[in-house]
Amino acid sequence: ETNTLPFHPFENQQGDILRMEKEHQVLQEQLQEAEDKFEQLQSRSLEETGALEELLKKSVEETKVSQNELDWFHQDSEAQMKKWQQEKKENREHLRALRSSAKKHTDTRDRYLKTIDDKEKQYNEYLNTFLDTSNKFANEKVKLEELIKKSQDDSQECEKRAVKAELSVFQTWKEAEVWKLSGSIAKAEANLRMLKALSSSPGAAPVWKSHIDSWETFLSNVKKQLEKVEAEYEEKMELVKSGARISLTKVETVDIPSP
């Protein structure tokens, strides 16, 4: 399309065809120059011949020229005529050679032009095929982009449902653990109230003190466990909301035996 490469097989290097056309033009100009020169020579020769003939006629009529001078004049005229005929012959041969070379270059140019026309037709066929294929690919691309967009929308919807499901699972596990630990806390608090009530009677405090201490330790550990479970489940749910990929596992808890 930009004509920057040689046109094989008619060019060995870029610009050969243009150079041959220039050479053809130069040969045409040389041919025209030779024809002009030939006509000038012919006209000059005719003029010279006429002048010589007039001079000869005038010399015969007006003066008596010796036979030797007359012979010399004829010899000189014949020499001039032979010289002119030789020049005429050489010019004709040169003209014939120029015409042959011009015809050769013309035939070559016509052949190149025909080849260029054939290649241009072939190029147009390839171009039409390419445009048809390009249009088909463009249509397929639009369809694929629509499918990709639909798949992306479906994928985003699935991700949203997956996140919602994971949050629901973590929330369920959290509530189950909180309910379990809250039950243990309520039980421990009830036992502590009962033990403290029993220890308030006279003389009973030393008997119940160790039990009260054990339940208070148990209650403190269970509360810490509850805080840990809530914090870790909240952390997992925040990670899921932010789009992070984490394993769907329960928070590890320690089974604290009651006193």
Side-chain angles (χ1 to χ4, degrees):
E1 292 179 355
T2 58
N3 193 26
T4 58
L5 296 177
F7 182 51
H8 295 291
F10 308 104
E11 287 185 323
N12 293 325
Q13 59 183 0
Q14 197 270 337
D16 282 349
I17 293 177
L18 182 61
R19 184 168 60 255
M20 292 185 68
E21 289 182 351
K22 290 182 179 179
E23 291 176 358
H24 173 70
Q25 184 178 0
V26 171
L27 289 173
Q28 289 283 3
E29 293 174 355
Q30 291 178 354
L31 175 61
Q32 184 63 40
E33 183 180 357
E35 289 177 349
D36 295 338
K37 183 177 179 181
F38 172 77
E39 291 176 358
Q40 291 175 1
L41 288 174
Q42 187 178 24
S43 176
R44 186 177 64 187
S45 297
L46 291 173
E47 291 176 358
E48 291 176 356
T49 302
L52 290 173
E53 290 176 351
E54 288 292 328
L55 180 62
L56 178 60
K57 182 178 178 181
K58 183 177 181 181
S59 297
V60 171
E61 293 176 351
E62 295 180 357
T63 62
K64 292 180 179 181
V65 182
S66 65
Q67 188 65 35
N68 292 333
E69 291 177 348
L70 184 60
D71 291 341
W72 174 82
F73 177 76
H74 280 298
Q75 290 175 359
D76 185 63
S77 297
E78 288 177 358
Q80 291 291 335
M81 183 64 69
K82 288 180 181 179
K83 181 180 178 182
W84 173 78
Q85 288 177 349
Q86 182 65 27
E87 290 180 355
K88 181 179 179 181
K89 182 180 178 182
E90 291 176 356
N91 288 333
R92 283 180 177 177
E93 291 177 353
H94 183 60
L95 179 61
R96 190 181 299 109
L98 289 176
R99 285 177 177 174
S100 177
S101 179
K103 185 178 184 303
K104 180 180 177 181
H105 287 296
T106 301
D107 295 340
T108 303
R109 185 193 63 180
D110 293 340
R111 187 169 63 254
Y112 286 165
L113 289 175
K114 184 178 182 302
T115 303
I116 290 172
D117 290 338
D118 294 339
K119 293 296 182 182
E120 186 174 1
K121 291 178 181 178
Q122 186 179 11
Y123 165 76
N124 290 330
E125 292 177 358
Y126 289 158
L127 179 62
N128 292 331
T129 303
F130 168 76
L131 292 176
D132 292 340
T133 305
S134 178
N135 291 333
K136 291 180 181 178
F137 283 152
N139 294 332
E140 292 295 331
K141 180 183 178 182
V142 172
K143 292 180 181 178
L144 289 175
E145 288 176 348
E146 292 176 354
L147 290 175
I148 291 172
K149 185 177 184 303
K150 185 176 182 303
S151 298
Q152 290 176 345
D153 294 340
D154 294 342
S155 176
Q156 291 176 357
E157 185 64 25
C158 290
E159 288 180 359
K160 290 179 181 179
R161 291 200 299 269
V163 168
K164 186 177 180 180
E166 290 179 359
L167 291 175
S168 177
V169 170
F170 282 133
Q171 184 65 29
T172 301
W173 287 346
K174 174 188 172 184
E175 290 175 355
E177 288 295 332
V178 169
W179 179 83
K180 176 182 175 182
L181 294 173
S182 297
S184 297
I185 291 172
K187 179 180 178 182
E189 289 176 345
N191 288 334
L192 279 171
R193 285 195 299 272
M194 181 183 66
L195 289 172
K196 288 179 180 179
L198 292 173
S199 65
S200 62
S201 59
V207 178
W208 300 107
K209 188 176 184 308
S210 61
H211 296 290
I212 292 172
D213 292 340
S214 297
W215 278 103
E216 286 181 345
T217 302
F218 172 76
L219 179 61
S220 176
N221 292 333
V222 172
K223 287 182 177 180
K224 290 179 181 179
Q225 183 77 3
L226 177 61
E227 292 176 357
K228 174 178 175 295
V229 167
E230 288 181 336
E232 291 189 11
Y233 273 116
E234 287 296 329
E235 182 181 359
K236 284 178 176 289
M237 286 190 287
E238 289 298 326
L239 289 174
V240 171
K241 290 178 181 178
S242 65
R245 300 299 181 105
I246 62 174
S247 59
L248 196 64
T249 56
K250 292 183 177 181
V251 174
E252 294 184 0
T253 58
V254 179
D255 190 11
I256 305 173
S258 61

